[in-house]
Amino acid sequence: MAFAAHGQDARSASITLATIGGAVDYFQSRRRHFVSLLYTMPHACSGSLVLQPYDALTVLLPQVEHSCIAITGFHHKLALLEALPDFSLEVDGIGAMASHDFETLDDYFLEPERASIHVMAELRGDQFTMPAMESVDGRKIFSSAELRNGVKLIGATYEAFGLKDSDFSAMCLLVVAFARYSRDDYYVEIEKDKFRSMLRAQDELDPAELETLLVNVPSDYATNTNAYQPFLDLGDRVVSNVNLLSRFLYAFKNVHLGSRRRFQIHAGFIFEDMVKRDLERMGFTVTNIKRINRKEFDVVATHDGVIFNIQCKNNWIDLSKIEAERKLFVRYNRSLTNYYSRALKKERGREHLLKQELGMDKVVHYVVSRFPVIGADAAVINYNQIERLRPAGRVGA
């Protein structure tokens, strides 16, 4: 009804609200836009006319489609324009068609990570002990119990990498404390004075810096697309919900672990195992070759008499820079694509080792990048497009 009021078809290709499954995909694909719009409202909204709850979807959903998706999309296109000399954009009375695209998300519209909690459970589940969990109400999509379970699970999954140090432990205790103020087992609302006293009660993190981490400062939409603060400041109180708190803690975990060398090394091995798993699912035979004549290889697979030599690159890329500091992103992207080009050249120079070892005459070389890069080299594949390696589509490889 909201879209119909604005002349849009709610059963179009991009607005999939005809079925429950389609609606799940719709909201999952736009969750970042919804959160960013929530952060933007205190900055953008003014006046005395209150937006009533029953009008919220009618007013805000079309804004997501008309404005929010377009803002994100055109920031990506600006990055493509600066990174690719042959990028073009054709505009007509209906819309715009770009010559290249740039997909930043993984399956299920998830943001890429070095080693997500789901991958850890699948490929390293034997290396951590599952903590005792609270029972949850199966009738609820989100709940405070689920948030507390998430806190335990994150800590246990990454404990081997030193995650549960004093800073992260203090943050976990705060998140659990915030959850005690939940209303309807979802909304979290705390008086400002009480909130600040809770921050002062812990002695691991500076209370002023902690408030900056936790409370969003009203700003424009593009800035807010990269915000993870779980609380909104409503003057005499701060408000959040269990989902925003969980989202924040997971992002805090990523930043906290990201600079640790041990985690980086192990995440690289985990990524290699992810690529091996996917290749086997696509019908490749993955070899156990790791070293020939003291020369190391990441993943070597075969299919139909062809050797696939794959370099797995888990270099972290801050995708928030696309909106926040696009020129910096493009510069770093260029350095990575040049690095990947040199890596491919190096592999081609020693392909004879693989031919001799496996008794095959043809070798193709690829770099698979865990975090997406913009480039024109078909031999550099972003992990979220690893299906391009599927043998049936291997034309011109």
PDB file of all heavy atoms in Angstrom, residues 25-53:
ATOM      1  N   ASP A  25      14.087 -11.558   1.929  1.00  0.00           N
ATOM      2  CA  ASP A  25      15.179 -11.057   1.091  1.00  0.00           C
ATOM      3  C   ASP A  25      15.130  -9.537   0.973  1.00  0.00           C
ATOM      4  O   ASP A  25      16.165  -8.860   0.990  1.00  0.00           O
ATOM      5  CB  ASP A  25      15.111 -11.679  -0.309  1.00  0.00           C
ATOM      6  CG  ASP A  25      15.607 -13.110  -0.332  1.00  0.00           C
ATOM      7  OD1 ASP A  25      16.271 -13.519   0.644  1.00  0.00           O
ATOM      8  OD2 ASP A  25      15.332 -13.820  -1.314  1.00  0.00           O
ATOM      9  N   TYR A  26      13.935  -9.001   0.831  1.00  0.00           N
ATOM     10  CA  TYR A  26      13.790  -7.553   0.676  1.00  0.00           C
ATOM     11  C   TYR A  26      14.349  -6.819   1.889  1.00  0.00           C
ATOM     12  O   TYR A  26      15.177  -5.911   1.766  1.00  0.00           O
ATOM     13  CB  TYR A  26      12.317  -7.199   0.468  1.00  0.00           C
ATOM     14  CG  TYR A  26      12.076  -5.707   0.441  1.00  0.00           C
ATOM     15  CD1 TYR A  26      12.293  -4.979  -0.719  1.00  0.00           C
ATOM     16  CD2 TYR A  26      11.651  -5.029   1.585  1.00  0.00           C
ATOM     17  CE1 TYR A  26      12.098  -3.596  -0.749  1.00  0.00           C
ATOM     18  CE2 TYR A  26      11.447  -3.658   1.565  1.00  0.00           C
ATOM     19  CZ  TYR A  26      11.671  -2.951   0.402  1.00  0.00           C
ATOM     20  OH  TYR A  26      11.486  -1.600   0.385  1.00  0.00           O
ATOM     21  N   PHE A  27      13.897  -7.213   3.068  1.00  0.00           N
ATOM     22  CA  PHE A  27      14.344  -6.509   4.275  1.00  0.00           C
ATOM     23  C   PHE A  27      15.813  -6.783   4.584  1.00  0.00           C
ATOM     24  O   PHE A  27      16.524  -5.898   5.060  1.00  0.00           O
ATOM     25  CB  PHE A  27      13.459  -6.894   5.466  1.00  0.00           C
ATOM     26  CG  PHE A  27      12.085  -6.284   5.411  1.00  0.00           C
ATOM     27  CD1 PHE A  27      10.967  -7.074   5.233  1.00  0.00           C
ATOM     28  CD2 PHE A  27      11.922  -4.907   5.522  1.00  0.00           C
ATOM     29  CE1 PHE A  27       9.700  -6.502   5.164  1.00  0.00           C
ATOM     30  CE2 PHE A  27      10.667  -4.333   5.454  1.00  0.00           C
ATOM     31  CZ  PHE A  27       9.544  -5.132   5.278  1.00  0.00           C
ATOM     32  N   GLN A  28      16.275  -8.007   4.294  1.00  0.00           N
ATOM     33  CA  GLN A  28      17.688  -8.315   4.521  1.00  0.00           C
ATOM     34  C   GLN A  28      18.573  -7.469   3.613  1.00  0.00           C
ATOM     35  O   GLN A  28      19.619  -6.967   4.037  1.00  0.00           O
ATOM     36  CB  GLN A  28      17.935  -9.815   4.265  1.00  0.00           C
ATOM     37  CG  GLN A  28      19.377 -10.269   4.414  1.00  0.00           C
ATOM     38  CD  GLN A  28      19.839 -10.352   5.853  1.00  0.00           C
ATOM     39  OE1 GLN A  28      19.126  -9.945   6.762  1.00  0.00           O
ATOM     40  NE2 GLN A  28      21.030 -10.855   6.067  1.00  0.00           N
ATOM     41  N   SER A  29      18.173  -7.296   2.367  1.00  0.00           N
ATOM     42  CA  SER A  29      18.987  -6.542   1.412  1.00  0.00           C
ATOM     43  C   SER A  29      18.995  -5.051   1.712  1.00  0.00           C
ATOM     44  O   SER A  29      19.897  -4.327   1.281  1.00  0.00           O
ATOM     45  CB  SER A  29      18.480  -6.774  -0.012  1.00  0.00           C
ATOM     46  OG  SER A  29      17.184  -6.225  -0.182  1.00  0.00           O
ATOM     47  N   ARG A  30      18.013  -4.584   2.473  1.00  0.00           N
ATOM     48  CA  ARG A  30      17.902  -3.148   2.728  1.00  0.00           C
ATOM     49  C   ARG A  30      18.109  -2.783   4.196  1.00  0.00           C
ATOM     50  O   ARG A  30      17.884  -1.634   4.582  1.00  0.00           O
ATOM     51  CB  ARG A  30      16.530  -2.644   2.262  1.00  0.00           C
ATOM     52  CG  ARG A  30      16.435  -2.578   0.734  1.00  0.00           C
ATOM     53  CD  ARG A  30      15.001  -2.706   0.276  1.00  0.00           C
ATOM     54  NE  ARG A  30      14.853  -2.505  -1.149  1.00  0.00           N
ATOM     55  CZ  ARG A  30      15.132  -3.427  -2.068  1.00  0.00           C
ATOM     56  NH1 ARG A  30      15.613  -4.612  -1.706  1.00  0.00           N
ATOM     57  NH2 ARG A  30      14.952  -3.178  -3.365  1.00  0.00           N
ATOM     58  N   ARG A  31      18.571  -3.749   4.995  1.00  0.00           N
ATOM     59  CA  ARG A  31      18.677  -3.470   6.430  1.00  0.00           C
ATOM     60  C   ARG A  31      19.636  -2.313   6.697  1.00  0.00           C
ATOM     61  O   ARG A  31      19.395  -1.488   7.585  1.00  0.00           O
ATOM     62  CB  ARG A  31      19.108  -4.727   7.188  1.00  0.00           C
ATOM     63  CG  ARG A  31      20.539  -5.152   6.936  1.00  0.00           C
ATOM     64  CD  ARG A  31      20.822  -6.549   7.480  1.00  0.00           C
ATOM     65  NE  ARG A  31      22.235  -6.867   7.402  1.00  0.00           N
ATOM     66  CZ  ARG A  31      22.884  -7.174   6.284  1.00  0.00           C
ATOM     67  NH1 ARG A  31      22.211  -7.193   5.132  1.00  0.00           N
ATOM     68  NH2 ARG A  31      24.164  -7.444   6.301  1.00  0.00           N
ATOM     69  N   ARG A  32      20.737  -2.258   5.935  1.00  0.00           N
ATOM     70  CA  ARG A  32      21.694  -1.161   6.131  1.00  0.00           C
ATOM     71  C   ARG A  32      21.055   0.184   5.815  1.00  0.00           C
ATOM     72  O   ARG A  32      21.299   1.187   6.504  1.00  0.00           O
ATOM     73  CB  ARG A  32      22.915  -1.394   5.240  1.00  0.00           C
ATOM     74  CG  ARG A  32      24.016  -0.356   5.397  1.00  0.00           C
ATOM     75  CD  ARG A  32      25.102  -0.584   4.375  1.00  0.00           C
ATOM     76  NE  ARG A  32      26.182   0.365   4.483  1.00  0.00           N
ATOM     77  CZ  ARG A  32      27.071   0.576   3.520  1.00  0.00           C
ATOM     78  NH1 ARG A  32      27.018  -0.110   2.401  1.00  0.00           N
ATOM     79  NH2 ARG A  32      28.030   1.470   3.684  1.00  0.00           N
ATOM     80  N   HIS A  33      20.190   0.221   4.794  1.00  0.00           N
ATOM     81  CA  HIS A  33      19.521   1.472   4.429  1.00  0.00           C
ATOM     82  C   HIS A  33      18.537   1.894   5.518  1.00  0.00           C
ATOM     83  O   HIS A  33      18.413   3.083   5.833  1.00  0.00           O
ATOM     84  CB  HIS A  33      18.794   1.311   3.097  1.00  0.00           C
ATOM     85  CG  HIS A  33      19.683   0.864   1.979  1.00  0.00           C
ATOM     86  ND1 HIS A  33      20.703   1.638   1.485  1.00  0.00           N
ATOM     87  CD2 HIS A  33      19.723  -0.283   1.264  1.00  0.00           C
ATOM     88  CE1 HIS A  33      21.324   0.996   0.505  1.00  0.00           C
ATOM     89  NE2 HIS A  33      20.746  -0.173   0.364  1.00  0.00           N
ATOM     90  N   PHE A  34      17.826   0.911   6.077  1.00  0.00           N
ATOM     91  CA  PHE A  34      16.877   1.237   7.144  1.00  0.00           C
ATOM     92  C   PHE A  34      17.599   1.807   8.368  1.00  0.00           C
ATOM     93  O   PHE A  34      17.161   2.789   8.962  1.00  0.00           O
ATOM     94  CB  PHE A  34      16.091  -0.017   7.556  1.00  0.00           C
ATOM     95  CG  PHE A  34      14.936  -0.340   6.645  1.00  0.00           C
ATOM     96  CD1 PHE A  34      14.947  -1.478   5.860  1.00  0.00           C
ATOM     97  CD2 PHE A  34      13.842   0.497   6.578  1.00  0.00           C
ATOM     98  CE1 PHE A  34      13.896  -1.776   5.015  1.00  0.00           C
ATOM     99  CE2 PHE A  34      12.773   0.207   5.741  1.00  0.00           C
ATOM    100  CZ  PHE A  34      12.795  -0.936   4.953  1.00  0.00           C
ATOM    101  N   VAL A  35      18.694   1.174   8.760  1.00  0.00           N
ATOM    102  CA  VAL A  35      19.436   1.647   9.936  1.00  0.00           C
ATOM    103  C   VAL A  35      20.011   3.032   9.669  1.00  0.00           C
ATOM    104  O   VAL A  35      19.953   3.923  10.524  1.00  0.00           O
ATOM    105  CB  VAL A  35      20.555   0.651  10.304  1.00  0.00           C
ATOM    106  CG1 VAL A  35      21.419   1.219  11.434  1.00  0.00           C
ATOM    107  CG2 VAL A  35      19.966  -0.674  10.734  1.00  0.00           C
ATOM    108  N   SER A  36      20.561   3.235   8.472  1.00  0.00           N
ATOM    109  CA  SER A  36      21.128   4.546   8.136  1.00  0.00           C
ATOM    110  C   SER A  36      20.051   5.626   8.142  1.00  0.00           C
ATOM    111  O   SER A  36      20.279   6.760   8.586  1.00  0.00           O
ATOM    112  CB  SER A  36      21.804   4.487   6.758  1.00  0.00           C
ATOM    113  OG  SER A  36      22.785   3.466   6.718  1.00  0.00           O
ATOM    114  N   LEU A  37      18.867   5.270   7.657  1.00  0.00           N
ATOM    115  CA  LEU A  37      17.754   6.220   7.663  1.00  0.00           C
ATOM    116  C   LEU A  37      17.337   6.541   9.095  1.00  0.00           C
ATOM    117  O   LEU A  37      17.044   7.708   9.429  1.00  0.00           O
ATOM    118  CB  LEU A  37      16.571   5.644   6.881  1.00  0.00           C
ATOM    119  CG  LEU A  37      15.403   6.587   6.583  1.00  0.00           C
ATOM    120  CD1 LEU A  37      15.865   7.780   5.756  1.00  0.00           C
ATOM    121  CD2 LEU A  37      14.288   5.836   5.859  1.00  0.00           C
ATOM    122  N   LEU A  38      17.338   5.527   9.959  1.00  0.00           N
ATOM    123  CA  LEU A  38      17.034   5.754  11.373  1.00  0.00           C
ATOM    124  C   LEU A  38      18.015   6.741  11.983  1.00  0.00           C
ATOM    125  O   LEU A  38      17.617   7.676  12.695  1.00  0.00           O
ATOM    126  CB  LEU A  38      17.093   4.421  12.129  1.00  0.00           C
ATOM    127  CG  LEU A  38      16.967   4.490  13.649  1.00  0.00           C
ATOM    128  CD1 LEU A  38      15.573   4.961  14.049  1.00  0.00           C
ATOM    129  CD2 LEU A  38      17.278   3.141  14.276  1.00  0.00           C
ATOM    130  N   TYR A  39      19.315   6.552  11.718  1.00  0.00           N
ATOM    131  CA  TYR A  39      20.326   7.467  12.243  1.00  0.00           C
ATOM    132  C   TYR A  39      20.143   8.887  11.700  1.00  0.00           C
ATOM    133  O   TYR A  39      20.464   9.866  12.373  1.00  0.00           O
ATOM    134  CB  TYR A  39      21.724   6.978  11.853  1.00  0.00           C
ATOM    135  CG  TYR A  39      22.223   5.760  12.588  1.00  0.00           C
ATOM    136  CD1 TYR A  39      23.065   4.848  11.946  1.00  0.00           C
ATOM    137  CD2 TYR A  39      21.888   5.511  13.914  1.00  0.00           C
ATOM    138  CE1 TYR A  39      23.545   3.726  12.609  1.00  0.00           C
ATOM    139  CE2 TYR A  39      22.361   4.394  14.584  1.00  0.00           C
ATOM    140  CZ  TYR A  39      23.194   3.501  13.923  1.00  0.00           C
ATOM    141  OH  TYR A  39      23.664   2.402  14.579  1.00  0.00           O
ATOM    142  N   THR A  40      19.659   8.997  10.467  1.00  0.00           N
ATOM    143  CA  THR A  40      19.556  10.298   9.808  1.00  0.00           C
ATOM    144  C   THR A  40      18.367  11.108  10.295  1.00  0.00           C
ATOM    145  O   THR A  40      18.385  12.348  10.248  1.00  0.00           O
ATOM    146  CB  THR A  40      19.469  10.100   8.275  1.00  0.00           C
ATOM    147  OG1 THR A  40      20.585   9.334   7.836  1.00  0.00           O
ATOM    148  CG2 THR A  40      19.451  11.427   7.536  1.00  0.00           C
ATOM    149  N   MET A  41      17.351  10.447  10.784  1.00  0.00           N
ATOM    150  CA  MET A  41      16.115  11.146  11.139  1.00  0.00           C
ATOM    151  C   MET A  41      16.309  12.269  12.159  1.00  0.00           C
ATOM    152  O   MET A  41      15.771  13.370  11.966  1.00  0.00           O
ATOM    153  CB  MET A  41      15.061  10.139  11.597  1.00  0.00           C
ATOM    154  CG  MET A  41      14.508   9.298  10.447  1.00  0.00           C
ATOM    155  SD  MET A  41      13.461   7.936  10.995  1.00  0.00           S
ATOM    156  CE  MET A  41      12.054   8.834  11.638  1.00  0.00           C
ATOM    157  N   PRO A  42      17.081  12.066  13.244  1.00  0.00           N
ATOM    158  CA  PRO A  42      17.266  13.198  14.171  1.00  0.00           C
ATOM    159  C   PRO A  42      17.968  14.398  13.538  1.00  0.00           C
ATOM    160  O   PRO A  42      17.792  15.525  13.973  1.00  0.00           O
ATOM    161  CB  PRO A  42      18.133  12.592  15.289  1.00  0.00           C
ATOM    162  CG  PRO A  42      17.883  11.122  15.218  1.00  0.00           C
ATOM    163  CD  PRO A  42      17.705  10.824  13.758  1.00  0.00           C
ATOM    164  N   HIS A  43      18.756  14.141  12.491  1.00  0.00           N
ATOM    165  CA  HIS A  43      19.474  15.214  11.793  1.00  0.00           C
ATOM    166  C   HIS A  43      18.565  15.920  10.785  1.00  0.00           C
ATOM    167  O   HIS A  43      18.607  17.147  10.640  1.00  0.00           O
ATOM    168  CB  HIS A  43      20.692  14.614  11.075  1.00  0.00           C
ATOM    169  CG  HIS A  43      21.408  15.571  10.171  1.00  0.00           C
ATOM    170  ND1 HIS A  43      22.213  16.593  10.647  1.00  0.00           N
ATOM    171  CD2 HIS A  43      21.459  15.656   8.816  1.00  0.00           C
ATOM    172  CE1 HIS A  43      22.710  17.261   9.624  1.00  0.00           C
ATOM    173  NE2 HIS A  43      22.270  16.718   8.505  1.00  0.00           N
ATOM    174  N   ALA A  44      17.724  15.128  10.104  1.00  0.00           N
ATOM    175  CA  ALA A  44      16.967  15.671   8.973  1.00  0.00           C
ATOM    176  C   ALA A  44      15.570  16.140   9.345  1.00  0.00           C
ATOM    177  O   ALA A  44      15.025  17.043   8.703  1.00  0.00           O
ATOM    178  CB  ALA A  44      16.872  14.612   7.870  1.00  0.00           C
ATOM    179  N   CYS A  45      14.966  15.536  10.360  1.00  0.00           N
ATOM    180  CA  CYS A  45      13.562  15.827  10.654  1.00  0.00           C
ATOM    181  C   CYS A  45      13.418  17.061  11.556  1.00  0.00           C
ATOM    182  O   CYS A  45      14.156  17.214  12.532  1.00  0.00           O
ATOM    183  CB  CYS A  45      12.912  14.621  11.341  1.00  0.00           C
ATOM    184  SG  CYS A  45      12.896  13.142  10.298  1.00  0.00           S
ATOM    185  N   SER A  46      12.483  17.890  11.225  1.00  0.00           N
ATOM    186  CA  SER A  46      12.212  19.082  12.026  1.00  0.00           C
ATOM    187  C   SER A  46      10.727  19.425  11.908  1.00  0.00           C
ATOM    188  O   SER A  46      10.023  18.893  11.054  1.00  0.00           O
ATOM    189  CB  SER A  46      13.062  20.266  11.547  1.00  0.00           C
ATOM    190  OG  SER A  46      12.762  20.574  10.202  1.00  0.00           O
ATOM    191  N   GLY A  47      10.263  20.291  12.777  1.00  0.00           N
ATOM    192  CA  GLY A  47       8.855  20.680  12.728  1.00  0.00           C
ATOM    193  C   GLY A  47       8.077  20.112  13.891  1.00  0.00           C
ATOM    194  O   GLY A  47       8.638  19.535  14.823  1.00  0.00           O
ATOM    195  N   SER A  48       6.777  20.252  13.828  1.00  0.00           N
ATOM    196  CA  SER A  48       5.925  19.847  14.953  1.00  0.00           C
ATOM    197  C   SER A  48       4.989  18.703  14.601  1.00  0.00           C
ATOM    198  O   SER A  48       4.323  18.150  15.491  1.00  0.00           O
ATOM    199  CB  SER A  48       5.096  21.048  15.436  1.00  0.00           C
ATOM    200  OG  SER A  48       4.303  21.556  14.369  1.00  0.00           O
ATOM    201  N   LEU A  49       4.899  18.322  13.328  1.00  0.00           N
ATOM    202  CA  LEU A  49       4.004  17.240  12.919  1.00  0.00           C
ATOM    203  C   LEU A  49       4.662  15.906  13.209  1.00  0.00           C
ATOM    204  O   LEU A  49       5.717  15.584  12.659  1.00  0.00           O
ATOM    205  CB  LEU A  49       3.674  17.361  11.431  1.00  0.00           C
ATOM    206  CG  LEU A  49       2.687  16.335  10.873  1.00  0.00           C
ATOM    207  CD1 LEU A  49       1.324  16.481  11.564  1.00  0.00           C
ATOM    208  CD2 LEU A  49       2.529  16.514   9.358  1.00  0.00           C
ATOM    209  N   VAL A  50       4.050  15.118  14.084  1.00  0.00           N
ATOM    210  CA  VAL A  50       4.632  13.845  14.511  1.00  0.00           C
ATOM    211  C   VAL A  50       4.282  12.751  13.505  1.00  0.00           C
ATOM    212  O   VAL A  50       3.137  12.641  13.057  1.00  0.00           O
ATOM    213  CB  VAL A  50       4.117  13.455  15.912  1.00  0.00           C
ATOM    214  CG1 VAL A  50       4.668  12.085  16.325  1.00  0.00           C
ATOM    215  CG2 VAL A  50       4.525  14.512  16.924  1.00  0.00           C
ATOM    216  N   LEU A  51       5.277  11.948  13.153  1.00  0.00           N
ATOM    217  CA  LEU A  51       5.051  10.810  12.267  1.00  0.00           C
ATOM    218  C   LEU A  51       4.428   9.678  13.078  1.00  0.00           C
ATOM    219  O   LEU A  51       5.063   9.119  13.973  1.00  0.00           O
ATOM    220  CB  LEU A  51       6.378  10.343  11.656  1.00  0.00           C
ATOM    221  CG  LEU A  51       6.323   9.123  10.731  1.00  0.00           C
ATOM    222  CD1 LEU A  51       5.477   9.419   9.504  1.00  0.00           C
ATOM    223  CD2 LEU A  51       7.734   8.714  10.308  1.00  0.00           C
ATOM    224  N   GLN A  52       3.192   9.365  12.789  1.00  0.00           N
ATOM    225  CA  GLN A  52       2.499   8.323  13.544  1.00  0.00           C
ATOM    226  C   GLN A  52       2.984   6.928  13.115  1.00  0.00           C
ATOM    227  O   GLN A  52       3.331   6.723  11.951  1.00  0.00           O
ATOM    228  CB  GLN A  52       0.983   8.427  13.319  1.00  0.00           C
ATOM    229  CG  GLN A  52       0.376   9.739  13.792  1.00  0.00           C
ATOM    230  CD  GLN A  52       0.555   9.948  15.291  1.00  0.00           C
ATOM    231  OE1 GLN A  52       0.559   8.993  16.076  1.00  0.00           O
ATOM    232  NE2 GLN A  52       0.707  11.211  15.692  1.00  0.00           N
ATOM    233  N   PRO A  53       3.006   5.986  14.059  1.00  0.00           N
ATOM    234  CA  PRO A  53       3.500   4.638  13.721  1.00  0.00           C
ATOM    235  C   PRO A  53       2.816   4.022  12.504  1.00  0.00           C
ATOM    236  O   PRO A  53       3.484   3.402  11.669  1.00  0.00           O
ATOM    237  CB  PRO A  53       3.204   3.838  14.992  1.00  0.00           C
ATOM    238  CG  PRO A  53       3.258   4.850  16.090  1.00  0.00           C
ATOM    239  CD  PRO A  53       2.689   6.115  15.492  1.00  0.00           C
TER     240      PRO A  53
END
